[in-house]
Amino acid sequence: EPEVTQTPSHQVTQMGQEVILRCVPISNHLYFYWYRQILGQKVEFLVSFYNNEISEKSEIFDDQFSVERPDGSNFTLKIRSTKLEDSAMYFCASTMDRNTEAFFGQGTRLTVV
Amino acid sequence: AQKVTQAQTEISVVEKEDVTLDCVYETRDTTYYLFWYKQPPSGELVFLIRRNSFDEQNEISGRYSWNFQKSTSSFNFTITASQVVDSAVYFCALSEGQGGSEKLVFGKGTKLTVNP
């Protein structure tokens, strides 16, 4: 069964460093999302991406964040200068069209020290 | 604004008991979608069900069933004859708009522990 793949599963980084979280969505999907979940809290929407551009973003998704689909298969989330409060599980999701459910990757746990 | 409330933070049951997880939502849209996701201890989010606002029929899938009531803005989830493998955090979520795959607004989740 096709699945959304995220790498790495766990990343530890120093405050102020840049990180790139990678996702390979399901191959025929067209809509892509990033969500985050601070430990023990609810899952929060960050950004949606369609047709090579951001279609919606939340207040969390400030100038420190950016997304890219560099090569037609990967979908990346970059955090330019990490802060302690960026420590969370980051989930990538994809969907074929707007009428079907989103499938989530297994998540990347980001720890900022 | 959209809002999803899962009032039960944690529930603990003994295996084979039935358990119902509550979900109450708020939306101004007439077209919306409701979801349940399971997050086992391994951390991934597993899709369980999607229901659109025009379909109030209850759904049963094995030991799982869902009760959607627009009159009370609720979309409750029942596990019959619970098993230890059902132990997880369960999230209810809402999306608005005709597409049904717009951004999801999640509740805070209910942690279910099924004891042997």
Side-chain angles (χ1 to χ4, degrees):
Chain A
E1 187 176 318
E3 57 182 21
V4 177
T5 307
Q6 290 185 242
T7 53
S9 56
H10 189 192
Q11 176 142 9
V12 181
T13 189
Q14 289 206 321
M15 194 168 56
Q17 294 295 304
E18 174 183 287
V19 293
I20 297 177
L21 309 183
R22 301 180 193 281
C23 169
V24 180
I26 295 173
S27 62
N28 59 345
H29 284 190
L30 301 175
Y31 294 80
F32 313 112
Y33 309 82
W34 283 101
Y35 290 80
R36 84 168 183 195
Q37 183 184 29
I38 294 171
L39 186 63
Q41 298 188 25
K42 67 179 177 181
V43 180
E44 300 173 291
F45 169 78
L46 290 178
V47 65
S48 59
F49 191 85
Y50 169 70
N51 202 25
N52 281 320
E53 60 182 25
I54 290 174
S55 45
E56 187 174 358
K57 59 183 181 180
S58 71
E59 315 83 60
I60 303 168
F61 194 88
D62 61 21
D63 293 343
Q64 294 297 316
F65 291 89
S66 62
V67 290
E68 199 176 32
R69 187 153 160 81
D71 56 13
S73 62
N74 290 283
F75 179 50
T76 61
L77 174 70
K78 184 195 296 187
I79 310 175
R80 227 177 306 280
S81 176
T82 49
K83 304 188 275 277
L84 294 177
E85 53 266 37
D86 294 326
S87 295
M89 180 78 97
Y90 288 81
F91 290 102
C92 173
S94 71
T95 184
M96 189 183 318
D97 58 46
R98 292 166 65 181
N99 292 312
T100 54
E101 66 273 11
F103 289 88
F104 283 79
Q106 78 278 23
T108 292
R109 181 167 299 284
L110 176 66
T111 303
V112 183
V113 297
Chain B
Q2 301 172 344
K3 191 175 173 184
V4 177
T5 302
Q6 294 180 256
Q8 304 148 309
T9 307
E10 291 193 43
I11 299 176
S12 184
V13 299
V14 177
E15 209 169 16
K16 296 185 184 162
E17 281 185 34
D18 297 348
V19 58
T20 295
L21 310 183
D22 298 333
C23 173
V24 173
Y25 62 91
E26 290 177 36
T27 178
R28 279 179 264 182
D29 253 25
T30 55
T31 302
Y32 53 89
Y33 288 75
L34 295 162
F35 301 77
W36 277 94
Y37 281 86
K38 174 181 179 179
Q39 186 174 44
S42 47
E44 71 271 26
L45 286 167
V46 179
F47 167 79
L48 295 178
I49 190 172
R50 182 183 79 145
R51 176 52 52 89
N52 76 52
S53 52
F54 298 109
D55 183 1
E56 277 194 82
Q57 274 197 332
N58 291 334
E59 178 146 346
I60 298 174
S61 175
R63 295 184 297 106
Y64 295 170
S65 62
W66 290 269
N67 182 289
F68 176 29
Q69 293 201 341
K70 285 176 81 167
S71 59
T72 55
S73 297
S74 65
F75 186 45
N76 296 338
F77 172 31
T78 297
I79 302 174
T80 304
S82 59
Q83 299 175 2
V84 173
V85 294
D86 295 327
S87 296
V89 180
Y90 290 87
F91 290 97
C92 181
L94 165 73
S95 74
E96 289 177 338
Q98 296 186 355
S101 201
E102 314 297 343
K103 67 176 185 184
L104 294 173
V105 174
F106 285 82
K108 292 186 177 180
T110 296
K111 182 178 181 182
L112 174 65
T113 302
V114 182
N115 298 299

